[in-house]
Amino acid sequence: MKLVSRSCMPAGRPALLALITLLSAAALMAACSGSGGGTAKTSARPAATAASPQPTVASPQPTAPDRGPGQKGPVVRGIYRFKSEDWGAMASAGFNAVTDGNSFGAAQTAARLAGMVWMGSWSADRCAFELSPEQMAARVDQNRGVNSYFQLGDEPNVQKCPGAPAAYRQATALVHLHDPTAQTWVADDQFNDPNLAAWPSGLPMQGTVDILAFDVYPCQPAQPCRYNLIDEAVLRIHQAGVKSWQFILPDFNEPSWRQPTPTELTQMYGHWQGQGASGYWLYAWDADGVDIRTLPGNLDAVTAINQQPV
C-alpha cells in the first residue's frame, strides 16, 4: 500500500524520557540485521508469481455491536485515503476510521471518524524505520489521546530483514511508553502471494505490534478470484493463535491485481467474516487516480458490507 510521508514534529522531553528514547534508538539499530540488499519498495503489493497447487483446506464510533467474546472496543471499519478530505462521504459509507489520522484530526472527529497516525515508513533496504525514536516519540506526544492507532511502517519483509520483528517490538514499546492507551498497527502481507509455497512458515510478526492487519488480494488479471487464498490465510492465523488482528480488502486496479467487481468484494468479505477479526480496512477510497465514487457499484457494495457483522 502506497503511503504518504508526514513531516516530523519536534518535541522536548524530560531527561529521563530522552535517555529512554536514546536507548530505544540503540535497540532499534541492533535489531536490524544489515541492509538486506535490493531496491526500495515503491508499492506495497508484490509482483504476482506463478500459482501454486490449490490447498486442501482515538474514538472510533461502532456501526454495529458485533464484537465477539474477549474483544475490546468498537469494530473498526477503516478506509485508506490519500488526497480526499471528504470525511462526510466516508462516514456516510459506513466507515468509522481513516488512515493518515494526523492530517486533519479535528475535521475527522467532527465526522465521527477515528484517525490512524502514520509513523513513517520501514525501509527494506536499510532494515530500519524512516523516523528516529525521538521523532516517533514526538509524533505520539502530539497525538496522545486523539487517535488510538499508530501505524508503524508498512508490510515489513522479514525475509530481507530478519531483525524486523525485534525492531517493531521496540517501536511498540516506545509508543506505549509515551501513550499507554495507544495501539500499534501494521499491514502484514506474508499471505499476499498467489504462490503458497512462497509464504513464510509460522507468523514472524506475531506479537510485534498490537494489531496485525493481513492483506490478501485474490483477484489477478484475466483470472477468477482465488478465495481459497483467504481461507488458507485464516487457517494459518488460527493455527498461530493470533488474538488481535484485522484484514484488508482490495479495491484497486494495478498490473498484478485487477479491480474486483461488487460481487467479488462481497464474496471476499464473506470469506473473512466471522473468523475473529476485530475489524477491517478497504484499500482504497482514492488511489492510483481512481476514486471509489466513480465506481458506484463498488461503493454500494462496501456500504452494504459496513452494515454487516465482521
Side-chain angles (χ1 to χ4, degrees):
M1 281 153 283
K2 300 170 185 172
L3 300 170
V4 182
S5 296
R6 299 295 174 207
S7 59
C8 304
M9 300 290 181
R13 305 299 303 156
L16 177 58
L17 292 184
L19 175 60
I20 293 172
T21 53
L22 287 174
L23 291 174
S24 298
L28 282 169
M29 293 179 65
C32 297
S33 60
S35 65
T39 57
K41 283 170 59 176
T42 57
S43 171
R45 309 180 197 103
T49 58
S52 65
Q54 301 289 317
T56 56
V57 287
S59 302
Q61 302 296 323
T63 57
D66 56 357
R67 300 304 291 274
Q71 293 181 333
K72 298 178 180 180
V75 169
V76 174
R77 305 177 194 279
I79 182 73
Y80 274 81
R81 46 72 54 185
F82 294 91
K83 295 182 180 180
S84 177
E85 300 172 20
D86 196 345
W87 314 119
M90 297 174 198
S92 294
F95 294 105
N96 60 17
V98 296
T99 57
D100 294 338
N102 47 332
S103 299
F104 305 95
Q108 293 167 358
T109 300
R112 299 172 65 85
L113 293 168
M116 182 160 60
V117 177
W118 171 232
M119 296 288 283
S121 64
W122 166 264
S123 171
D125 292 332
R126 297 186 300 108
C127 293
F129 288 105
E130 171 191 11
L131 300 186
S132 69
E134 293 82 2
Q135 291 169 328
M136 285 186 177
R139 191 155 294 184
V140 177
D141 291 339
Q142 183 192 19
N143 292 280
R144 186 190 294 115
V146 176
N147 298 280
S148 61
Y149 285 107
F150 290 84
Q151 184 179 5
L152 297 175
D154 185 57
E155 299 181 339
N157 188 326
V158 297
Q159 294 170 316
K160 295 183 70 173
C161 299
Y168 272 77
R169 287 189 186 93
Q170 290 291 335
T172 292
L174 178 63
V175 171
H176 289 169
L177 175 66
H178 287 260
D179 185 352
T181 67
Q183 297 184 80
T184 57
W185 184 101
V186 71
D188 189 333
D189 69 340
Q190 80 164 69
F191 304 126
N192 194 21
D193 190 326
N195 180 10
L196 273 70
W199 289 11
S201 60
L203 217 163
M205 290 300 294
Q206 184 174 7
T208 65
V209 294
D210 295 307
I211 296 177
L212 286 174
F214 299 99
D215 48 8
V216 179
Y217 303 153
C219 304
Q220 293 180 267
Q223 297 182 34
C225 298
R226 294 181 57 194
Y227 303 112
N228 66 290
L229 297 175
I230 297 175
D231 299 335
E232 183 69 16
V234 167
L235 177 64
R236 298 193 187 198
I237 291 167
H238 289 170
Q239 288 175 338
V242 184
K243 300 300 183 184
S244 185
W245 61 278
Q246 297 171 0
F247 60 92
I248 301 169
L249 288 185
D251 192 11
F252 61 88
N253 190 42
E254 287 192 357
S256 294
W257 289 273
R258 62 173 174 80
Q259 194 91 42
T261 67
T263 298
E264 289 168 340
L265 276 171
T266 302
Q267 290 178 338
M268 276 187 277
Y269 187 82
H271 281 259
W272 287 109
Q273 192 175 25
Q275 299 299 329
S278 64
Y280 90 103
W281 295 78
L282 181 76
Y283 189 93
W285 186 267
D286 57 331
D288 306 312
V290 176
D291 188 304
I292 192 173
R293 288 172 290 188
T294 66
L295 303 168
N298 286 31
L299 181 57
D300 288 345
V302 297
T303 300
I305 284 171
N306 284 335
Q307 303 307 312
Q308 300 180 28
V310 172

